[in-house]
Amino acid sequence: MKKIALCLVLASLYGTSHASSLSIESLSAEFAVNNYDGQPKEVTGAKKAGNFGILMASGAGTFTATYLGNESSYLDGFRFVLEGKELNEANVLGKSISKQVTGGVVGFQFFDSKGAVFNNGEVSGAALGFAFLKDRSGSSFAESNKYGTFQYLLGFNDSYKGDADYDDYVVGVNFVSTAVMPLPVTAVPLPAALPLLASAVGMLGVVMRRRKVALADA
């Protein structure tokens, strides 16, 4: 019976999901975000702090970016590298684009109308780059607003050197994992499986007793 119970436990563990996730690599020290205002503030509320870093996926999944506003004198935007999908200031707030990723550095970039391009994986600076924005409490990167719940908010600062407010183009991003290990066989509900196990053990006992009797008579 102990062996049978162990097999049941192992089978249940085998069917457990091994989900991929988003994370930040090379996370910098937190810094103050100043003058975060305008259209993004109307959607997300004021942002006071952020961090630099590289957005990574630990495995396969669907990566989605949603446009949450801009506050800039340039025409800024966000695009997926290679796929040709982009968000820009002409889009309605709440518009989303998605791509399939296989893991590693997520391939996206921000851009402005002056020809500046900043790729995920590069080193952000005061005049060009994006920040992972903290929530209102300053304790989390997650954000909920009228356009959804997002794992991270990315605030872009374009190449204009007059400020570093990370509200020039703001997107919320999410990731849904597709890395799930399937069950090897159709699962049998536990209440239905127990009588079958008991019956099998009973039959095994009968066979063993008959074998002992046969050996004794021989």
Side-chain angles (χ1 to χ4, degrees), residues 6 19 23 52 95 129 143 152 159 200 208:
L6 179 60
S23 62
F52 295 139
K95 179 177 174 60
E143 163 77 29
Y152 296 102
S159 59
M208 293 300 294

Side-chain angles (χ1 to χ4, degrees), residues 11 13 18 39 42 45 65-66 86-87 91 93 95 98 102 107 114 123 148 151-152 172 181 183 187 192:
L13 290 176
H18 295 268
Q39 190 184 46
E42 293 171 5
T66 302
E86 78 172 41
L87 298 168
N91 296 135
L93 293 182
K95 179 177 174 60
S98 297
T102 57
K114 300 300 180 180
V123 179
Q151 292 169 268
Y152 296 102
M181 184 180 293
L183 286 171

